[in-house]
Amino acid sequence: MLHSIKSTNDIKDFLDKTNSLHDGYVVEVKYNNNGISKIKGGHYFEPAKTKLVLKILVTSIWDAVVEIEFENLLEWQIKDNQSDIFDVSVFFNENNLIVWMDDIYTSAEDMKKGSYVIAESMKWRITK
């Protein structure tokens, strides 16, 4: 069952149950865009039809795999240099979009140095 992030309490629950993804490693990334259609004179893009699924091996919680699903993506970037995640940031921005980062948030500029996702929705579950 996927758990939705819709409030700050949901964020706290996610961080508590996943140990903030401490000692986490990205093991799978899957992006899907079903929102591009041909129209007269070009193409029409529907960001609501985008989805990104991350699977993160979290060794600090008995080698569990945490699956995170984002939909309606505004912006995203995944960088993997084979180092572990020590902590994550998850919050709602000024436009009420969910922001996920693989580090502690200090600024929008620093955010772009690592992996991050800005999306309309976030769901998660522990798969192993």
Side-chain angles (χ1 to χ4, degrees), residues 19-24 83-88 102-103:
N19 196 30
S20 297
L21 303 178
H22 181 75
D23 289 337
S83 63
D84 58 339
I85 296 170
F86 293 112
D87 205 350
V88 295
D102 69 350
D103 203 351

Side-chain angles (χ1 to χ4, degrees), residues 23-29 54-57 76-85 100 102 112-116:
D23 289 337
Y25 301 88
V26 175
V27 294
E28 186 176 328
V29 177
L54 303 178
K55 290 188 179 179
I56 300 173
L57 171 67
W76 67 281
Q77 168 177 279
I78 303 300
K79 291 187 174 185
D80 184 27
N81 59 6
Q82 301 297 306
S83 63
D84 58 339
I85 296 170
W100 174 90
D102 69 350
K112 296 184 181 194
K113 292 178 182 175
S115 296
Y116 69 94

Side-chain angles (χ1 to χ4, degrees), residues 1-7 10-11 13 121-124:
M1 179 176 109
L2 289 168
H3 306 278
S4 293
I5 302 288
K6 295 189 180 284
S7 69
D10 294 336
I11 292 172
D13 189 51
S121 73
M122 175 180 164
K123 299 175 184 172
W124 69 277

